[in-house]
Amino acid sequence: MTTDITKTEYEVLDALWEHYPASANDIIQRLNQNKQWHDKTVKTLLSRLVKKQVIDFDKQQRSYLYFPLVERSTYTQKESKSLVSRLFGGKVAPLVAGFANSDSLSKEDVAELKSLIKKWEQDND
């Protein structure tokens, strides 16, 4: 999988992850719920994602039904690791500290982090 997905390509992919297989028109309708997208732009982005082997399609009569080749969780995990590696030298603590220092963490976030750490400790003991 090519990881150089642009922000707009990601928005199209995200709309496809909502429900698939989906036609270009289905994806355009989903995208247009948030902001106006031109049909030709979305079709160009779908074509790019096919070339990057992130999505594929089945031809049914005169239309194409698109589906992802990568799961959302797999993509976000890979991108998260890439972000931490690029910006924080592979260390997660500075990333979390940045959120903590900017008051971006809610009590729910902290509870979830504690739970994740506890599970990690149990699994890696």
Side-chain angles (χ1 to χ4, degrees):
M1 174 185 69
T2 306
T3 57
D4 59 338
I5 294 175
T6 67
K7 182 178 182 281
T8 53
E9 288 170 345
Y10 180 80
E11 289 180 66
V12 171
L13 180 58
D14 196 41
L16 180 59
W17 276 324
E18 281 181 32
H19 182 74
Y20 57 87
S23 69
N25 287 336
D26 294 335
I27 296 166
I28 292 164
Q29 280 185 323
R30 287 180 208 151
L31 290 166
N32 282 336
Q33 292 173 3
N34 299 321
K35 68 179 184 183
Q36 203 58 36
W37 288 74
H38 193 278
D39 294 9
K40 190 172 180 179
T41 301
V42 174
K43 290 176 182 177
T44 298
L45 293 167
L46 286 167
S47 177
R48 285 185 196 167
L49 289 167
V50 168
K51 285 181 186 166
K52 292 181 178 185
Q53 299 180 341
V54 177
I55 68 171
D56 206 352
F57 61 87
D58 287 323
K59 187 171 184 183
Q60 297 201 343
Q61 287 135 2
R62 294 171 48 187
S63 67
Y64 296 96
L65 292 178
Y66 294 91
F67 57 91
L69 293 175
V70 62
E71 292 179 33
R72 183 192 309 258
S73 60
T74 302
Y75 178 79
T76 55
Q77 184 176 25
K78 188 171 186 175
E79 286 301 301
S80 297
K81 284 182 180 179
S82 175
L83 172 79
V84 170
S85 178
R86 275 192 335 267
L87 299 180
F88 301 100
K91 299 187 184 311
V92 176
L95 172 67
V96 176
F99 283 111
N101 292 335
S102 67
D103 295 326
S104 297
L105 293 176
S106 68
K107 287 186 180 195
E108 293 81 17
D109 291 331
V110 172
E112 191 172 341
L113 286 168
K114 285 179 180 179
S115 174
L116 289 169
I117 290 168
K118 185 175 183 179
K119 183 180 180 335
W120 183 89
E121 287 174 338
Q122 290 170 345
D123 293 348
N124 293 283
D125 207 2

